[in-house]
Amino acid sequence: MTTVWVYAEVRPEGPSPTALELLTKARSIGDEVAAVALGPGATAAAPALGDHGAATVYASDDQVYADTLGQPAAHALHGLIREHAPDLVLFSTSYDARDVAGRLQAKLGCTLMSNASDVTSAEEAQTQIFGGSRVVDVALEGPSPRLVLVRPKSFAAEPGGGTAEVVTVEAPIPDELTAARRVERHEETAAGPRLEDAKVVIAGGRGLQDPSNFKLLDDLAAAIGGNAAVGASRAVVDAGWVPYSYQVGQTGKTVKPEVYIAVGISGATQHVVGMKGAKRIIAINKDADAPIFRLADLGVVGDALAVVPKLIEEIRARRS
C-alpha cells in the first residue's frame, strides 16, 4: 500500500495549477492519495483537490501560514507525517514550496530530490539534463517519506471526479517559528493570460537590442489575441529589461503553449529547458547559426526589429 501526499499551495483564486498536476500524477502511482493545504482558502480548495485525486485533504485556513515564511508549514507537515507516515510527498518548485521542503527534510533526515520531471513510483523519479536532451533515472532511497520537488507542466492536470474528506489540521505553532514574517506583498499587474497558461507565448531576448523594443512583443500579442502572453530570456531579465515574472527557462517558468515564438533568442540550454515542450516553435534571429533554429519548426533569419513589425502588420490585415 503506497501513500502519496501532495503539498498543495493555495492562492486567492484556488489551488495552484501545479498542485492539480501533482495530484493527477499521484493517483497513478499511489494507492492512497492526500493533499496538505495550509493557509487562507485551504478548506475551500478541497473540492478541486478531491476532483483531481485527493481522497483526504489535511487543511488549515490559519492566517499564520500566509503571514510567515516556511517554518510553520514545515512544522505542521512534520507533525502530520509522523502521525500518518506517507511514503512520498510531492512539492512544486515554487519559492515557498522549496522553502518548506528544505526545512522539512532537515527535520526528517530523509531523501529530498529537486527538479524532477517525472515520478514513476515512491522509489524512483526522473530528471532531465543537458537542456533536456538526456533523461536520468534517480533512485529514491533512505527512510520514508521521500520528498520530491517537481517542475511545473511536467504532467497535465486531469479531473478524476473524486471527492475529498477534509481533516482539519490543528498544529499549535511555537512563537519562535513566527518571528520572520511577510510585511508586504506586491502583486504585479498583468494583462491577458498568465504566461504558464497562454496558448501562444512570445519571448524576447537580447536580439531586441533595447528594453523599449519589448513593446513590439506586446503589440504582437495584442494582434494575435487574448490567448497570447509575453515572456523573456534570462539575459534580458538579468539586465533589468523586464521583471523576473517574464523569465522562461530552467531558473524561470516552464511553458508548454500551442505556439512559442522566440524573438532574438539564441537558444541557450537553460532557456530551452523551459520551452521545449511547446507544440510548435517559431524562431526569429539574425544569426543563421543560432542554436534555437535546431528546435524550430519554422525559422526566420532576419533582424527582429524589422521582421516583427511586418508580422504584426500582416496579422492585423488578415484579421480585418
Side-chain angles (χ1 to χ4, degrees), residues 104-128:
L104 181 61
Q105 191 275 339
K107 292 175 177 289
L108 294 170
C110 59
T111 295
L112 171 61
M113 176 187 173
S114 185
N115 208 39
S117 56
D118 196 4
V119 183
T120 54
S121 72
E123 293 80 32
E124 189 174 83
Q126 293 181 336
T127 189
Q128 297 180 4

Side-chain angles (χ1 to χ4, degrees), residues 26 38 50 70 124 134 232 241 258 261 270 307:
L38 303 173
E124 189 174 83
R134 296 288 185 274
W241 290 13
E258 297 285 332
I261 306 175
Q270 80 86 27
V307 173

Side-chain angles (χ1 to χ4, degrees), residues 167-193:
V167 177
T168 301
V169 175
E170 297 178 355
I173 306 300
D175 290 342
E176 62 267 22
L177 299 184
T178 64
R181 305 181 70 86
R182 292 183 172 96
V183 296
E184 183 180 357
R185 290 180 181 272
H186 173 70
E187 296 288 341
E188 292 179 354
T189 57

Side-chain angles (χ1 to χ4, degrees), residues 37-105:
L38 303 173
T43 302
L49 298 174
D51 190 25
H52 285 77
T56 304
V57 174
Y58 299 100
S60 172
D61 295 297
D62 196 326
Q63 185 68 33
V64 69
Y65 298 109
D67 291 344
T68 58
L69 303 183
Q71 296 99 319
H75 174 79
L77 260 175
H78 182 235
L80 288 169
I81 287 170
R82 288 176 64 89
E83 181 179 354
H84 300 285
D87 300 292
L88 177 70
V89 185
L90 303 178
F91 296 81
S92 76
T93 54
S94 70
Y95 280 120
D96 286 344
R98 294 203 306 264
D99 184 24
V100 173
R103 295 177 187 278
L104 181 61
Q105 191 275 339

Side-chain angles (χ1 to χ4, degrees), residues 280-303:
R280 300 172 187 84
I281 298 172
I282 299 171
I284 303 171
N285 200 297
K286 64 183 179 181
D287 179 5
D289 297 321
I292 192 68
F293 287 123
R294 299 173 197 160
L295 292 175
D297 299 287
L298 173 64
V300 179
V301 178
D303 185 346

Side-chain angles (χ1 to χ4, degrees), residues 191 195 200-225 227-233 236 241-242 246 248 260-265 271 282 284 303-309 311-312 315-316:
L195 189 60
V200 179
V201 172
I202 307 156
R206 285 283 196 182
L208 287 172
Q209 301 178 27
D210 187 87
S212 64
N213 292 326
F214 256 82
K215 186 180 184 303
L216 285 173
L217 305 192
D218 293 329
D219 292 342
L220 178 55
I224 291 171
N227 288 319
V230 176
S233 68
V236 298
W241 290 13
V242 292
Y246 280 53
V248 174
Y260 188 87
I261 306 175
V263 182
I265 293 175
H271 182 78
I282 299 171
I284 303 171
D303 185 346
L305 300 185
V307 173
V308 174
L311 179 57
I312 295 170
I315 292 172
R316 287 174 175 168

